[in-house]
Amino acid sequence: QVQLVESGGGLVQPGGSLTLSCAASGFTLDYKAVGWFRQVPGKERQGVSFINYNDGRTYYADSVKGRFTISRDTARKTVNLQMNSLKPEDTSVYYCAAAPTYYDVPSQAYEYEYWGQGTRVTVSS
């Protein structure tokens, strides 16, 4: 079964940190880009951070630059999102997604073919 599985969400206080992980099952992340998106009810899905799994190039939304770091773990075949200095406005359901590509780092949701079920992140005191 082809699927992406996210883990690591939870409740954290403002200023705190969380690490999300995305693992692929039934397919390889080679020749893929992996992106993290987030969505709150009533709003469009927002791109957060993206990585080309082959060469490690990354791209970040302005809202998370300097606070979030996306990385690949080729040994564990996962993509992680380290989130620091979390703010209440980071509260959302976070989804990982994968897009077939050799060189690109796509940042739009329509470019991604595979999606996980999401993991909830709540930033609150």
Side-chain angles (χ1 to χ4, degrees), residues 3-24:
Q3 61 179 352
L4 291 169
V5 179
E6 304 98 336
S7 61
L11 172 65
V12 64
Q13 292 187 342
S17 298
L18 277 178
T19 300
L20 306 183
S21 185
C22 175

Side-chain angles (χ1 to χ4, degrees), residues 14-122:
S17 298
L18 277 178
T19 300
L20 306 183
S21 185
C22 175
S25 175
F27 70 106
T28 177
L29 291 178
D30 294 338
Y31 302 109
K32 303 285 193 302
V34 176
W36 285 95
F37 295 80
R38 63 188 182 187
Q39 189 171 25
V40 296
K43 292 192 175 181
E44 290 188 0
R45 192 163 291 189
Q46 176 191 25
V48 175
S49 183
F50 314 91
I51 188 167
N52 184 292
Y53 193 79
N54 298 327
D55 60 19
R57 284 178 297 127
T58 59
Y59 175 82
Y60 296 92
D62 287 343
S63 58
V64 305
K65 277 182 183 176
R67 299 191 298 123
F68 291 11
T69 302
I70 190 170
S71 62
R72 55 183 177 157
D73 186 332
T74 55
R76 290 185 169 85
K77 301 179 182 180
T78 60
V79 170
N80 300 318
L81 185 67
Q82 173 70 41
M83 306 186 294
N84 298 326
S85 302
L86 283 161
K87 305 175 182 180
E89 52 263 42
D90 294 316
T91 295
S92 191
V93 177
Y94 283 72
Y95 300 87
C96 74
T101 182
Y102 286 94
Y103 304 116
D104 293 337
V105 188
S107 61
Q108 302 300 313
Y110 73 86
E111 298 177 280
Y112 284 79
E113 182 174 340
Y114 307 98
W115 289 85
Q117 293 300 308
T119 184
R120 184 173 300 276
V121 172
T122 303

